[in-house]
Amino acid sequence: MGITERKEREKEHRKEEILDAAQKLFFEKGLTTATMDEIAEAAELSKGTLYLYYKSKEDMYLAVMMRGMEVLYKIYEPIVSSNDTSVQKLAKFGDTYKNFFHSHRSFFRMFHFLQAPQFHKQVSEEMRQACSVESRKMWDLMIGLLRRGMEEGAFRSDLNPVEVAIILWSSATALLLRVDSEGDTWKERMNIDLEHALEISNKLLFESILTDRVRAEFAGLNRG
Amino acid sequence: MGITERKEREKEHRKEEILDAAQKLFFEKGLTTATMDEIAEAAELSKGTLYLYYKSKEDMYLAVMMRGMEVLYKIYEPIVSSNDTSVQKLAKFGDTYKNFFHSHRSFFRMFHFLQAPQFHKQVSEEMRQACSVESRKMWDLMIGLLRRGMEEGAFRSDLNPVEVAIILWSSATALLLRVDSEGDTWKERMNIDLEHALEISNKLLFESILTDRVRAEFAGLNRG
DNA sequence: TTTAATTACTGACTCGTAGTCATTTACTAC
DNA sequence: GTAGTAAATGACTACGAGTCAGTAATTAAA
């Protein structure tokens, strides 16, 4: 009989329902301001029940964040699988990240959590592991793209593809975080458009990793 | 009579003593783990007294962080005032930031707080203002350096010096944060030295903002 | 010197919230 | 119908930020 299986499904379903409620509140209020009581109420369950499904508030937060990582992965994956050239793919990577920032701002903000070690106290080892696996998928996409581009002679092969991936990803993330938190300030006080700064940053880094041959083509395209 | 002045001095002194205790505990335990009771005990005062000098725990945290910003400023200021060329100065800026990261790791970590908007709830307007002024001093140093370099023809003048400052600063900060929180992981799992990645990132960005003339000299120097 | 007034300090208290656990309710099997 | 199991509950504990009525110390006035 399939009772065990049905129960298993229902349990998974309940877990997702709880996460829906958590997502709603984390999006609205952020990690610290949203309370477990509020999430419980939104999920139409008691607080105790939440802890049958997630070990801590932080674990729950990361579970929501992983949804965001999956969203981003599903956007990126087809870019890598497409028939574009490596150069085109990398350009799309940059645009896509910016689009994701705009269309999924709340998820993007959550990514920031990973880099704030002071709040990881309550994160379970399992969740840490799961996040690590999920983020590894993203890195592999990008590193693979760069590695193939180097083999094809599009990108400079004297650079380490992993290092380049980290450089591109980190600088884009840092600038988008700044857009998010300080964008208006820079605009008002210095008349600076941080998104334009991001474009310049991407352009500078992008061009500096192209091989001379491809850079010449690229410049030709930009002029024509 | 100087009683009012003496009292004023004593009050300032007490405020610094409290900050010494706070700094010790924030360095050891971070913002969330350090408690006001612990800080009070370390300062040999009651918790209530702390609130006569600082409006909230977050305010206190930012006051400590500002000490770090002053330390960094005092390291940077002489670089800008020196007789080096703009190119040399900019190179020193990069090295200096990395040195600061190593010698004042706890301060560096605190800087990260500014970019985590979810924890700014309890920060008073005065403190926000004070931080803004202090960080503005740093930015002005860097922006001024870039602007002069552009006027002298060392850096490309088709770029906006403010944008370049933001780009260089953000990417360096992002990579150092990663060194701090994930450095060991990348080393173990991928055999990647994130500090080397930072050097590459700096080199790529650095060279791409030089004018063609200076880049040629620079390349000559690097070879010679 | 005594007393009043001002300032500095105290620590028990309130309040909010994460996480727990003994108990209750709902469901399944025999 | 009853025993056994799984799911859910919510009152409770622990803990920490921030408060405030009261106390002590210092200065000014009488």
Side-chain angles (χ1 to χ4, degrees):
Chain A
M1 60 184 70
I3 288 180
T4 331
E5 288 79 358
R6 195 201 72 218
K7 286 228 167 181
E8 200 57 42
R9 273 202 314 277
E10 280 173 2
K11 220 169 158 176
E12 275 308 307
H13 186 241
R14 174 56 48 92
K15 207 170 173 179
E16 288 302 306
E17 281 179 334
I18 291 173
L19 215 55
D20 292 340
Q23 179 169 322
K24 178 172 174 290
L25 277 145
F26 286 142
F27 276 17
E28 281 172 12
K29 304 186 152 199
L31 171 63
T32 43
T33 315
T35 70
M36 289 301 267
D37 286 286
E38 286 170 327
I39 294 170
E41 203 191 325
E44 293 173 304
L45 287 168
S46 75
K47 184 161 61 161
T49 306
L50 302 189
Y51 286 92
L52 298 174
Y53 292 87
Y54 296 94
K55 290 202 175 141
S56 69
K57 191 186 182 186
E58 269 88 352
D59 257 38
M60 233 162 150
Y61 192 79
L62 286 183
V64 174
M65 197 196 70
M66 279 180 65
R67 283 184 168 180
M69 289 166 77
E70 278 158 33
V71 169
L72 190 56
Y73 182 83
K74 281 187 180 140
I75 300 173
Y76 271 140
E77 208 278 323
I79 295 176
V80 179
S81 310
S82 75
N83 290 321
D84 289 334
T85 65
S86 295
V87 175
Q88 286 170 323
K89 283 178 188 174
L90 190 60
K92 280 193 185 170
F93 255 61
D95 295 341
T96 299
Y97 199 30
K98 212 168 87 174
N99 290 341
F100 178 83
F101 167 75
H102 283 295
S103 56
H104 298 83
R105 185 75 67 106
S106 299
F107 276 136
F108 180 86
R109 284 180 184 149
M110 289 183 126
F111 294 168
H112 191 229
F113 178 81
L114 283 183
Q115 278 190 326
Q118 50 188 147
F119 307 104
H120 293 197
K121 312 285 174 196
Q122 302 295 52
V123 176
S124 70
E125 197 45 51
E126 295 93 308
M127 190 51 80
R128 213 183 293 271
Q129 204 68 30
C131 283
S132 176
V133 169
E134 191 63 36
S135 80
R136 179 62 190 260
K137 279 169 62 186
M138 291 288 312
W139 284 113
D140 284 347
L141 274 188
M142 184 136 182
I143 293 164
L145 165 53
L146 288 164
R147 184 168 283 133
R148 252 169 285 122
M150 287 179 187
E151 285 162 6
E152 294 166 6
F155 306 134
R156 286 168 51 181
S157 54
D158 61 322
L159 298 171
N160 180 318
V162 181
E163 287 184 3
V164 173
I166 296 168
I167 290 168
L168 293 175
W169 189 266
S170 299
S171 68
T173 303
L175 282 164
L176 284 174
L177 274 171
R178 224 179 261 279
V179 170
D180 190 38
S181 59
E182 307 169 4
D184 295 341
T185 314
W186 284 99
K187 186 76 208 166
E188 283 161 27
R189 298 206 192 148
M190 308 280 282
N191 197 34
I192 287 293
D193 178 7
L194 288 182
E195 290 205 43
H196 181 254
L198 170 59
E199 272 160 36
I200 299 294
S201 171
N202 278 343
K203 187 162 168 279
L204 296 179
L205 285 171
F206 193 55
E207 288 182 6
S208 65
I209 65 167
L210 296 178
T211 55
D212 292 340
R213 176 176 65 76
V214 175
R215 183 161 41 237
E217 288 170 24
F218 189 68
L221 278 175
N222 269 8
R223 267 196 297 276
Chain B
M1 63 181 73
I3 288 180
T4 331
E5 287 79 358
R6 194 202 74 217
K7 285 230 165 180
E8 200 56 43
R9 273 203 314 278
E10 279 173 1
K11 218 168 159 179
E12 274 309 306
H13 186 240
R14 175 56 48 90
K15 208 170 173 180
E16 287 302 307
E17 280 179 336
I18 291 173
L19 215 55
D20 291 340
Q23 179 169 325
K24 180 172 172 290
L25 277 146
F26 286 141
F27 276 16
E28 280 172 14
K29 304 188 150 195
L31 171 64
T32 44
T33 314
T35 70
M36 288 302 267
D37 286 286
E38 288 171 327
I39 294 170
E41 203 191 326
E44 295 175 305
L45 288 167
S46 74
K47 184 161 61 160
T49 305
L50 303 188
Y51 285 92
L52 298 174
Y53 291 87
Y54 296 95
K55 289 202 176 142
S56 69
K57 192 187 182 185
E58 269 88 351
D59 258 38
M60 233 161 150
Y61 191 78
L62 287 182
V64 174
M65 197 196 71
M66 278 180 66
R67 283 184 169 180
M69 288 166 76
E70 277 159 33
V71 169
L72 190 55
Y73 182 82
K74 282 189 179 139
I75 300 174
Y76 271 141
E77 209 278 322
I79 296 176
V80 179
S81 309
S82 75
N83 290 320
D84 289 335
T85 65
S86 295
V87 175
Q88 286 169 324
K89 284 178 187 173
L90 190 61
K92 281 193 186 171
F93 255 61
D95 295 342
T96 300
Y97 199 30
K98 212 168 88 174
N99 290 342
F100 178 83
F101 167 75
H102 283 298
S103 56
H104 298 82
R105 185 76 67 108
S106 298
F107 276 137
F108 181 86
R109 282 179 185 152
M110 288 183 127
F111 294 167
H112 190 230
F113 177 81
L114 282 184
Q115 278 190 326
Q118 50 189 146
F119 307 104
H120 292 195
K121 312 284 175 198
Q122 301 296 52
V123 176
S124 70
E125 197 45 50
E126 293 95 307
M127 191 51 81
R128 211 183 294 270
Q129 203 67 30
C131 283
S132 175
V133 169
E134 191 63 38
S135 80
R136 178 63 189 261
K137 279 168 63 185
M138 291 288 311
W139 284 113
D140 284 347
L141 274 188
M142 185 136 181
I143 293 164
L145 165 54
L146 289 164
R147 183 167 285 134
R148 253 168 284 122
M150 288 178 186
E151 286 161 6
E152 294 166 6
F155 306 134
R156 286 168 51 181
S157 55
D158 62 319
L159 298 171
N160 179 320
V162 181
E163 288 185 3
V164 173
I166 295 168
I167 291 167
L168 293 175
W169 189 265
S170 299
S171 68
T173 304
L175 282 163
L176 285 174
L177 275 171
R178 225 179 260 280
V179 170
D180 189 38
S181 60
E182 306 169 5
D184 295 341
T185 314
W186 283 99
K187 186 76 210 168
E188 283 160 25
R189 298 207 192 147
M190 308 281 280
N191 197 34
I192 287 292
D193 177 7
L194 288 182
E195 291 205 42
H196 181 253
L198 171 60
E199 272 161 36
I200 299 295
S201 171
N202 279 342
K203 187 162 169 280
L204 296 180
L205 285 171
F206 193 55
E207 289 182 5
S208 65
I209 65 167
L210 297 178
T211 56
D212 291 340
R213 175 176 66 77
V214 175
R215 183 163 39 241
E217 288 169 26
F218 188 69
L221 278 176
N222 269 8
R223 267 198 297 276

